[in-house]
Amino acid sequence: MKALLILGAALLLAADPTPLFDGKTLTGWTTVAEKPVTAGWEVSEGTIHRATKAMDIVTTKDYDSFDLSFEWKIAPGTNSGLKYHFGKYGEKNIGIEYQLIDTGKPGDSLGKHGVGGVYDLLAPDPKVTPKPAGEWNVSRIVVNKKKITHYLNGKKSVEIVMGSPEWIEALGKSKFKSSADFGTKPGKILLQEHGGEVWFRNLNLTELK
């Protein structure tokens, strides 16, 4: 019986991830206001491309614990991000952000705003660096109950536990400090509009039990 349980657990962990993007359409994505995506974002050569001025887009489904991998690249000077556990906290629509930014962009690409960090809360490991603007990067986010781990190009960039002393201290120093429950609820995956071109592909998510 024990062997069967172990085998079952192994099969569960080996389950194929669910694509969040079919490579052809924006099915499964809407604006934050739950309207169809009609401007700014396009499907181009198997990518989701923020081409012109747009609005943030989100998944139609909420997620709690998950393992998400995705590839991305940005144009020079671009600031963008992928948010998760996005939703209403008090009067604000906010979420935890995996920062994506051209590290050659002056003034807003290091420290707590560095690629692979938890935006405005925790800086990424300085030894883990992205490829230059215009080149593809591979990122991964694992949210296992309260534990958050970010990876960049196969290396761990951040690890933190929501509600831990480190988290509480970081939250208290961030722009989200007025939301004590920030990031703690299941929410949507969001692709950020921040004024520059960005491309996403191979967004694959496995929900964790």
Side-chain angles (χ1 to χ4, degrees):
M1 183 65 177
K2 183 176 181 181
L4 289 174
L5 290 173
I6 292 173
L7 177 60
L11 289 173
L12 179 62
L13 290 174
D16 291 336
T18 299
L20 298 183
F21 169 53
D22 63 15
K24 299 176 181 179
T25 70
L26 290 174
T27 299
W29 295 86
T30 69
T31 67
V32 174
E34 300 183 350
K35 303 295 184 182
V37 181
T38 59
W41 297 89
E42 65 177 6
V43 176
S44 174
E45 299 181 342
T47 74
I48 298 177
H49 175 212
R50 185 279 183 195
T52 59
K53 186 175 181 180
M55 302 179 72
D56 296 337
I57 60 174
V58 296
T59 55
T60 54
K61 184 177 177 180
D62 289 359
Y63 298 95
D64 191 3
S65 289
F66 60 84
D67 186 334
L68 170 65
S69 61
F70 61 101
E71 297 176 46
W72 58 277
K73 68 177 180 178
I74 53 178
T78 297
N79 180 350
S80 186
L82 183 146
K83 298 183 183 182
Y84 53 96
H85 283 198
F86 177 83
K88 184 75 74 175
Y89 292 88
E91 298 301 315
K92 301 176 182 178
N93 281 312
I94 51 179
I96 304 171
E97 181 177 345
Y98 185 115
Q99 170 82 316
L100 311 175
I101 193 170
D102 176 11
T103 54
K105 179 181 173 68
D108 197 34
S109 62
L110 301 175
K112 295 190 295 181
H113 294 178
V115 174
V118 178
Y119 174 76
D120 213 52
L121 270 80
L122 195 68
D125 184 331
K127 299 187 294 294
V128 181
T129 56
K131 295 179 181 179
E135 295 187 23
W136 285 102
N137 292 271
V138 179
S139 291
R140 182 182 173 205
I141 300 167
V142 180
V143 182
N144 191 351
K145 295 181 172 49
K146 294 184 178 182
K147 185 178 180 180
I148 293 171
T149 312
H150 288 182
Y151 298 87
L152 176 62
N153 296 323
K155 298 180 180 179
K156 185 191 298 184
S157 57
V158 157
E159 187 171 85
I160 193 167
V161 176
M162 288 184 284
S164 67
E166 181 184 14
W167 175 269
I168 292 169
E169 180 180 2
L171 181 60
K173 296 178 180 178
S174 76
K175 64 175 63 177
F176 310 110
K177 60 186 176 183
S178 62
S179 301
D181 61 343
F182 171 70
T184 59
K185 299 181 288 188
K188 300 185 184 302
I189 308 296
L190 178 148
L191 304 184
Q192 187 181 48
E193 148 66 54
H194 210 296
E197 282 190 280
V198 59
W199 294 258
F200 296 91
R201 69 184 184 189
N202 296 327
L203 296 104
N204 296 302
L205 184 146
T206 301
E207 292 191 74
L208 305 177
K209 304 301 182 182

